[in-house]
């Protein structure tokens, strides 16, 4: 790509790469050598930088600390067999970041800052992209208010950062999940569709209660009536009912996942029957009771495709007939991972190679 931004680059004196045991990486514990940074002030983005990964000084009156003015994205880079590094659908993240930014009164982040920053960062830290099965370099772009002001107002100063982290699987086993019928993650007209930090903070307490009951995740239902299935906090949801894949149609109350969109397109490409529509809790429970639901799984960047082994509803746990995954989930998982890692041809134009 043509570089236009003149990014200021300050490299680490010594890489930390040799300290990393790539055979034993946990999700989100290690960060690569560099981070990308762009600051916004007085109505414009300033000259961006790449600098050593490190702590940020922060005012105790910072608006983000008090009011949660923070949004983020998640994407992954993969090592292909020829040694090249490939990103998966990065422009979708840039577009979604800006939809979140609009909702939280944050500035639009131009495509060139996002893509050039990402590209230069990947070029510098390409050796941090792992190549073992089920590993990737997780990329976390995020933006927050950097303004020092303890009153409530729309901020005028922001920081955009990209940090990266070599990761293994987010979930290592199929999940036992509970349909949440009391608490709400989001309501109509709220911020549910945005990747806003506060959505995740608000989900912690109901998730903690569910964990105390032996569940690893919640299936959120709509905040008004608890009648419709929405998402699972870290993942969008798919069910196989009567050999048809069904997934909740998008509303403004849950995240329009990029993996969700990819799974829908891939399903159509593979000739699977797939429906995006409203799914009631009642339909899910009936399908579990009658065993017409044969598979359930969540999808997300971090979670990739994770099978659901049990679904809990009002004190009863229903075990999935294919609790460790079945035909649909394994086909979709394998095909998607093979596209991402360059093992099969990408028929969709999703792969963005770093040159
Ligand atoms: C992702 O899948 O990238 C996410 O942002 C989920 C996160 C909660 C780990």
């Amino acid at each position: 790509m043509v570089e236009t931004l003149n990014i200021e680059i300050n490299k680490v004196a010594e890489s930390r790469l040799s300290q990393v045991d790539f055979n034993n990486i946990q999700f989100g514990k290690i960060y690569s050598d560099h981070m990308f940074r762009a600051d916004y002030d007085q109505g414009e983005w300033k000259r961006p930088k790449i600098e050593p990964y490190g702590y940020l000084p922060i005012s105790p009156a910072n608006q983000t600390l008090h009011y949660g003015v923070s949004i983020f994205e998640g994407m992954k880079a993969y090592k292909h067999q020829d040694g090249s590094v490939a990103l998966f659908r990065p422009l979708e993240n840039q577009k979604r970041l800006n939809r979140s930014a609009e909702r939280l009164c944050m500035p639009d982040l131009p495509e060139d800052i996002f893509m050039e920053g990402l590209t230069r960062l990947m070029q510098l830290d390409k050796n941090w992209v792992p190549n073992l099965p089920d590993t990737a370099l997780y990329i976390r772009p995020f933006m927050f208010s950097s303004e020092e002001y303890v009153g409530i107002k729309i901020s005028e100063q922001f920081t955009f950062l990209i940090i990266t982290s070599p990761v293994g699987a987010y979930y290592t086993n199929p999940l036992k999940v509970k349909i949440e019928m009391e608490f709400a993650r989001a309501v109509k007209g709220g911020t549910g569709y945005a990747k806003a930090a506060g959505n995740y903070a608000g989900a912690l307490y109901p998730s903690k209660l569910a964990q105390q009951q032996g569940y690893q995740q919640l299936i959120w239902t709509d905040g008004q009536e608890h009648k419709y299935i929405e998402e699972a906090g870290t993942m969008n949801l798919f069910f196989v009912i009567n050999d048809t894949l069904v997934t909740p149609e998008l509303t403004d109350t849950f995240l329009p996942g990029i993996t969700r969109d990819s799974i829908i397109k891939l399903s159509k490409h593979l000739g699977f029957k797939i429906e995006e529509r409203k799914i009631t809790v009642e339909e899910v429970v009936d399908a579990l009771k009658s065993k017409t639901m044969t598979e359930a799984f969540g999808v997300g960047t971090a979670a990739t495709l994770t099978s659901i082994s049990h679904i809990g509803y009002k004190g009863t746990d229903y075990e999935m007939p294919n609790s460790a995954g079945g035909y649909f989930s394994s086909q979709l998982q394998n095909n998607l991972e093979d596209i991402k890692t360059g093992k099969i041809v990408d028929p969709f134009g999703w792969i963005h190679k770093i040159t």
Side-chain angles (χ1 to χ4, degrees):
M1 77 187 289
V2 185
E3 288 192 23
T4 55
L5 290 179
N6 189 20
I7 299 171
E8 183 185 328
I9 295 181
N10 170 17
K11 291 191 201 169
V12 290
E14 199 177 334
S15 173
R16 287 177 282 104
L17 193 57
S18 61
Q19 299 163 20
V20 180
D21 175 6
F22 279 97
N23 289 302
N24 189 17
I25 39 177
Q26 278 176 285
F27 190 94
K29 295 279 188 192
I30 310 158
Y31 292 90
S32 51
D33 285 330
H34 299 96
M35 61 187 187
F36 173 80
R37 172 172 188 155
D39 289 293
Y40 182 92
D41 192 14
Q42 295 179 330
E44 61 177 25
W45 289 99
K46 307 293 175 197
R47 183 181 172 195
K49 299 177 189 153
I50 287 181
E51 51 195 32
Y53 174 88
Y55 291 169
L56 309 168
I58 197 154
S59 157
N62 170 282
Q63 288 231 308
T64 302
L65 295 183
H66 296 269
Y67 308 121
V69 192
S70 180
I71 56 174
F72 67 98
E73 278 299 317
M75 95 181 81
K76 277 178 175 166
Y78 299 85
K79 188 66 76 63
H80 283 197
Q81 266 153 1
D82 61 3
S84 62
V85 169
L87 299 172
F88 185 71
R89 308 188 73 184
L91 279 173
E92 296 304 316
N93 292 92
Q94 187 256 346
K95 288 187 212 142
R96 188 173 62 186
L97 182 87
N98 283 331
R99 292 197 298 272
S100 302
E102 182 187 30
R103 182 64 180 81
L104 272 83
C105 293
M106 301 169 94
D108 197 79
L109 185 89
E111 184 181 318
D112 61 345
I113 299 186
F114 190 89
M115 288 310 295
E116 267 184 56
L118 195 53
T119 303
R120 287 300 286 134
L121 190 61
M122 288 298 110
Q123 287 166 342
L124 274 180
D125 283 349
K126 59 180 181 298
N127 294 336
W128 285 82
V129 184
N131 62 2
L132 294 167
D134 299 326
T135 63
L137 188 72
Y138 185 75
I139 301 167
R140 172 53 63 88
F142 59 111
M143 194 201 294
F144 57 92
S145 163
S146 39
E147 190 164 336
E148 184 177 41
Y149 176 62
V150 91
I152 301 261
K153 72 166 185 81
I154 294 173
S155 298
E156 288 164 59
Q157 290 159 347
F158 296 89
T159 297
F160 171 72
L161 287 167
I162 308 178
I163 57 173
T164 71
S165 169
V167 295
Y170 192 76
Y171 296 116
T172 44
N173 289 306
L175 301 177
K176 187 171 168 184
V177 302
K178 175 187 150 184
I179 301 180
E180 178 56 59
M181 298 299 287
E182 186 185 346
F183 295 98
R185 175 187 173 275
V187 289
K188 204 164 160 31
T191 59
Y193 70 92
K195 218 160 162 54
N199 292 341
Y200 295 80
L204 290 173
Y205 179 66
S207 304
K208 179 180 97 167
L209 297 183
Q211 275 162 18
Q212 287 167 351
Q213 296 161 3
Y215 300 100
Q216 286 106 30
Q217 262 290 330
L218 290 174
I219 291 187
W220 292 105
T221 52
D222 71 277
Q224 259 109 343
E225 299 175 276
H226 297 293
K227 185 172 171 192
Y228 298 104
I229 301 287
E230 299 210 316
E231 61 152 89
T234 52
M235 309 180 290
N236 291 113
L237 291 162
F238 286 79
F239 305 99
V240 179
I241 304 177
N242 291 321
D243 288 331
T244 299
L245 278 155
V246 289
T247 191
E249 70 185 15
L250 293 179
T251 66
D252 66 352
T253 52
F254 68 92
L255 194 80
I258 296 162
T259 312
R260 172 190 180 278
D261 181 71
S262 309
I263 289 286
I264 292 170
K265 294 196 165 101
L266 185 58
S267 298
K268 291 179 182 163
H269 179 76
L270 293 173
F272 296 161
K273 225 174 128 195
I274 175 146
E275 294 171 2
E276 268 182 272
R277 59 171 170 79
K278 284 192 181 305
I279 305 171
T280 61
V281 173
E282 191 183 6
E283 176 184 1
V284 165
V285 176
D286 285 349
L288 287 165
K289 284 184 181 159
S290 63
K291 298 205 182 294
T292 49
M293 183 186 294
T294 46
E295 295 176 49
F297 55 89
V299 304
T301 299
T304 62
L305 186 153
T306 301
S307 291
I308 291 171
S309 61
H310 298 77
I311 299 182
Y313 175 70
K314 293 192 173 167
T316 304
D317 291 335
Y318 297 91
E319 188 172 355
M320 301 301 301
N322 293 317
S323 57
Y327 178 75
F328 288 89
S329 35
S330 58
Q331 286 292 312
L332 290 165
Q333 163 81 327
N334 294 342
N335 273 277
L336 192 59
E337 284 310 295
D338 287 353
I339 291 173
K340 289 174 171 178
T341 51
K343 295 199 184 89
I344 59 174
V345 175
D346 164 19
F348 304 100
W350 286 340
I351 294 301
H352 179 99
K353 283 263 182 124
I354 300 293
T355 47

